[in-house]
Amino acid sequence: MSALKQALIIGASRGLGRAMAEALAAGGTSVVATVRDASRTPFAGTQGIRTLPLDVNDPQGGEQLVGALAGARFDLVLVNAGIKGPDHQDAGKAGAAEIADLFLTNAISPIRLARGLLPLVRRGGVLAFMSSRMGSVALNDTGSSELYRASKAALNSLGRSFAVRDALPVGVGVLMLHPGWVQTDMGGASAPLTIPESVSGMTRVLEASLDDPAHRFLDYQGETLAW
């Protein structure tokens, strides 16, 4: 039986978010999962998963989600929102709309939503963000994917502000979580990790983070990553 009794997974339409919701429910966790299109839920008939609609970039939708969950108390809220950004990944070529969309989706919206959801997390619980090793400034030794890296570094920085100002003072841990290089639509078929391998590792890390509130940047194996 999972130590995570109640979990909210933001961004569970596909990929790692969907797999995490399904794995937690299979382990006995009561899961609320958000999807962009509630009419096309991937969880039809799946026990232990309640589905609610949400576009992470819609502030009004976030407020409606908080209202729909009033009175709930979660051990875990996992914000799994992210896009790769433009294929060129070149700061010199990026237009204003491309930059706005990338940073809004990967950094601003997750933090804004987390602030609204924080009262729903129990003391000792965890509010986790799906970050990336590519958000590490110290570990950037190739310079590739510079726009995506910058958006994840922004998420990590905003996550620090959220942790010290909002979450840690009320006893809630904040975890910036790197899932590994995974065989998803974004990771590609050549990635070394399967989705089940990543999800299994992340679940162990999340469970180990309960009741020990801190701000951490960890990978799916529990290894600390340099900021």
Side-chain angles (χ1 to χ4, degrees):
M1 178 67 70
S2 173
L4 299 164
K5 306 302 182 187
Q6 305 282 336
L8 169 61
I9 310 298
I10 303 296
S13 297
R14 57 190 176 89
L16 289 171
R18 175 179 178 176
M20 179 66 76
E22 291 174 336
L24 289 177
T29 303
S30 179
V31 177
V32 178
T34 73
V35 297
R36 291 193 64 175
D37 184 355
S39 68
R40 300 179 61 185
T41 174
F43 305 114
T46 303
Q47 291 187 342
I49 301 179
R50 174 190 177 193
T51 305
L52 291 174
L54 178 69
D55 179 344
V56 72
N57 288 335
D58 176 14
Q60 184 177 3
E63 293 173 1
Q64 292 172 345
L65 176 67
V66 172
L69 296 173
R73 285 296 178 271
F74 294 101
D75 302 295
L76 166 68
V77 171
L78 173 60
V79 183
N80 173 47
I83 57 175
K84 180 182 177 182
D87 288 339
H88 59 73
Q89 286 292 309
D90 187 332
K93 297 178 180 178
E98 290 176 324
I99 296 170
D101 189 40
L102 178 62
F103 278 79
L104 180 64
T105 303
N106 286 6
I108 302 300
S109 292
I111 298 297
R112 179 172 58 201
L113 183 60
R115 287 203 164 105
L117 294 171
L118 180 59
L120 304 182
V121 185
R122 70 163 176 85
R123 188 173 186 85
V126 177
L127 207 156
F129 297 92
M130 196 71 81
S131 184
S132 172
R133 185 183 186 278
M134 295 182 78
S136 168
V137 175
L139 298 176
N140 180 2
D141 53 7
T142 68
S144 63
S145 301
E146 63 183 14
L147 293 179
Y148 178 77
R149 286 180 185 273
S151 71
K152 287 298 186 178
L155 173 64
N156 286 352
S157 179
L158 290 168
R160 179 61 178 173
S161 295
F162 169 71
V164 299
R165 287 174 46 192
D166 302 294
L168 296 180
V170 296
V172 173
V174 177
L175 180 59
M176 320 308 292
L177 187 57
H178 169 52
W181 183 13
V182 189
Q183 297 168 9
T184 61
D185 290 344
M186 186 181 295
S190 63
L193 280 179
T194 66
I195 289 178
E197 287 170 337
S198 173
V199 166
S200 177
M202 288 192 291
T203 299
R204 289 192 295 270
V205 172
L206 290 164
E207 290 177 337
S209 300
L210 290 173
D211 299 308
D212 184 19
H215 182 218
R216 301 179 175 93
F217 186 16
L218 304 177
D219 70 10
Y220 73 102
Q221 295 176 309
E223 297 295 323
T224 298
L225 299 176
W227 295 103

